[in-house]
Amino acid sequence: MTNFFSYIFFSLVTLILVRKHYLMSLISLELIFIILFIMFYFYLNFFMFEYFFGLIYLILGVCEASLGLSMLVYLVRSVGSDYLDILNLC
């Protein structure tokens, strides 16, 4: 179980370090999602629950990934790169 927390910690560190590139941020978020899914799967397996909630979690993760990729495509087509520094967020 300690390995999972260290994986989450290192993926959060990479999310902080690569915050300039949108694609690398999406990859770090997907890594966090996969680690949390594995922890959720082990939890459901340990208490002998059904995996229905795991399926719902996967569906929400796929929706999040497709939304992130569509935002990346829009960003590259409208601005020309995936740097977050060129966006005017104010």
Side-chain angles (χ1 to χ4, degrees):
M1 196 62 141
T2 322
N3 290 334
F4 288 119
F5 294 121
S6 63
Y7 292 152
I8 290 175
F9 174 74
F10 287 126
S11 60
L12 287 174
V13 167
T14 58
L15 182 63
I16 291 169
L17 290 177
V18 296
R19 67 182 184 272
K20 292 181 182 179
H21 291 282
Y22 187 72
L23 180 63
M24 295 300 291
S25 300
L26 283 177
I27 290 173
S28 297
L29 285 174
E30 288 301 315
L31 180 65
I32 294 170
F33 172 77
I34 290 171
I35 293 168
L36 288 176
F37 173 71
I38 292 171
M39 288 177 62
F40 192 61
Y41 176 78
F42 284 146
Y43 175 78
L44 290 176
N45 194 15
F46 182 75
F47 289 111
M48 290 181 258
F49 290 137
E50 293 187 16
Y51 301 114
F52 179 71
F53 296 114
L55 181 66
I56 292 175
Y57 184 75
L58 278 177
I59 291 170
L60 290 176
V62 168
C63 293
E64 177 257 334
S66 66
L67 181 65
L69 286 176
S70 65
M71 288 175 60
L72 175 70
V73 168
Y74 175 73
L75 182 67
V76 169
R77 285 186 180 177
S78 64
V79 178
S81 70
D82 68 336
Y83 289 116
L84 292 179
D85 294 339
I86 58 176
L87 293 176
N88 189 7
L89 299 176
C90 295

